[in-house]
Amino acid sequence: KLPDEYELSEQDIDKMLNWLRIFDPDNATPEQAIAFLIDLRVSIHEYAHINPDKLEELYKKFKSQQH
């Protein structure tokens, strides 16, 4: 279940829809974009509980790419 504080923006949906148009054009719908964004959010939340060390490693990699 998605936490109450998480709100998808139109911009989030549009970006995901554009991505779907490239990688899965047959399923590039706003509904599919929303469903995938929600699934990603839930997956990251679960991942943090299952393997927090790997999540920290992914964050460090992300952070190092910011500079």
Side-chain angles (χ1 to χ4, degrees):
K1 185 175 184 233
L2 198 61
D4 292 334
E5 72 274 1
Y6 183 70
E7 293 182 30
L8 292 174
S9 70
E10 287 298 320
Q11 185 179 18
D12 293 334
I13 297 165
D14 288 343
K15 287 179 181 180
M16 182 56 66
L17 191 52
N18 287 335
W19 185 87
L20 285 170
R21 286 182 183 129
I22 295 167
F23 292 98
D24 191 10
D26 292 339
N27 292 300
T29 65
E31 295 80 13
Q32 187 72 353
I34 292 167
F36 188 43
L37 286 166
I38 290 170
D39 186 69
L40 285 172
R41 170 65 170 90
V42 170
S43 295
I44 290 295
H45 180 78
E46 289 173 353
Y47 199 47
H49 290 285
I50 294 168
N51 194 347
D53 292 336
K54 182 65 176 174
L55 190 59
E56 182 180 355
E57 181 182 317
L58 290 171
Y59 179 72
K60 286 178 181 178
K61 181 180 176 186
F62 162 77
K63 192 174 173 184
S64 71
Q65 294 170 350
Q66 298 297 306
H67 300 288

